Amino acid sequence: MKHGIKVAFAALCLAGAPQLALADEPVFEIEMKDGVITPPRLEVPANTRFKIIIKNVGTVPAEFESYELRKEEVIPAGGTGRMIIRRLDPGEYKFFDEFQPDAPPTVLVAK
């Protein structure tokens, strides 16, 4: 019986370990508003896992799209999206609001 309790406790501790590791990740925010993305240039650490929070403060849905990052996320008006970027080589990665093709260009820079 004691062995079963120890195994269950160990399993619970291990299940929580990835969540604790995620708490240490850098977090960056992007704001989308009716075709305008702020900031237009976002600098992030290269070779580091990080999270991006995307807030759509506009009146229409937005779609974060990046062919180079292989990421896309549709965010309803007033909504928030989240994505994890595993690791990026140093360089520049373009992204845009696919629902607003004439919007100004934006770039994520991994340094």
Side-chain angles (χ1 to χ4, degrees):
M1 178 73 169
K2 287 182 184 180
H3 178 69
I5 293 172
K6 289 179 183 177
V7 170
F9 179 73
L12 285 173
C13 289
L14 289 175
Q19 294 171 350
L20 293 175
L22 295 179
D24 293 338
E25 290 177 335
V27 178
F28 300 91
E29 289 190 14
I30 294 172
E31 184 175 281
M32 301 178 90
K33 183 176 183 181
D34 304 327
V36 177
I37 300 174
T38 307
R41 179 181 173 91
L42 179 64
E43 292 188 8
V44 299
N47 302 309
T48 302
R49 179 181 162 125
F50 61 91
K51 179 190 266 186
I52 296 177
I53 297 176
I54 307 159
K55 296 181 179 179
N56 182 359
V57 297
T59 59
V60 296
E63 181 174 3
F64 177 101
E65 178 79 45
S66 174
Y67 301 129
E68 295 163 346
L69 295 171
R70 296 186 184 131
K71 295 283 188 178
E72 64 181 330
E73 177 91 21
V74 175
I75 302 104
T80 301
R82 292 165 184 78
M83 64 178 60
I84 299 293
I85 307 293
R86 301 267 180 225
R87 295 181 192 274
L88 293 177
D89 290 331
E92 294 189 358
Y93 302 84
K94 296 176 186 173
F95 63 97
F96 57 96
D97 181 348
E98 188 167 37
F99 295 160
Q100 305 289 332
D102 296 328
T106 52
V107 65
L108 185 144
V109 181
K111 290 184 171 185

